[in-house]
Amino acid sequence: MISLRDIALALTGASMLLLPTASYAASFDCEAKTLQPDEKAICDIRALNDADVKMVTTFDLLSGLMAMGARGTLQDEQTAWLKKRQACGADTSCIKAAYDERLLQLDSTYKKINRPL
């Protein structure tokens, strides 16, 4: 059985081929003048940029599979997670841990979705 993580990894790889430059993370413009410390770190460190791409791809896929009410809950969780990531400031290990945790949460949510076998 193909997991949401497998799909996200495949799409992450494909989306990285489409990026013309490293000036964009998946969820924000790295050229913006008002970048927060966590965003600057994500733009500067390829592994964090890749984690952002993977998280956003996974989040978008999962959002498309959920009913409207559940999407609102998922969005609220994403907003809370974003505040947690922002609280990391420029601490790259904290940012990486935040992405790892969020991807596990999204994977767990995917596994709970009722779907035909």
Side-chain angles (χ1 to χ4, degrees):
M1 182 167 117
I2 297 176
S3 72
L4 181 61
R5 179 165 265 166
D6 294 335
I7 295 168
L9 285 172
L11 290 175
T12 298
S15 68
M16 294 309 293
L17 295 173
L18 300 174
L19 292 176
T21 67
S23 65
Y24 289 91
S27 57
F28 56 89
D29 178 359
C30 288
E31 301 296 323
K33 297 194 186 304
T34 59
L35 289 177
Q36 298 299 312
D38 62 317
E39 294 170 328
K40 288 178 186 176
I42 293 164
C43 291
D44 291 344
I45 299 171
R46 179 62 184 255
L48 294 177
N49 193 326
D50 291 351
D52 190 67
V53 170
K54 186 159 99 173
M55 187 277 305
V56 157
T57 303
T58 303
F59 178 82
D60 287 346
L61 284 168
L62 190 54
S63 293
L65 296 173
M66 301 182 89
M68 283 292 236
R71 269 188 234 154
T73 300
L74 186 69
Q75 183 61 49
D76 291 345
E77 293 169 353
Q78 187 75 3
T79 299
W81 171 82
L82 182 57
K83 289 178 184 176
K84 182 176 181 175
R85 188 198 75 193
Q86 289 170 337
C88 289
D91 182 344
T92 58
S93 62
C94 178
I95 296 168
K96 182 181 180 328
Y99 277 107
D100 291 345
E101 179 183 342
R102 185 62 179 146
L103 284 165
L104 285 174
Q105 291 169 345
L106 293 173
D107 191 49
S108 175
T109 299
Y110 173 73
K111 289 176 181 174
K112 294 175 186 170
I113 292 176
N114 290 330
R115 56 192 175 278
L117 298 175

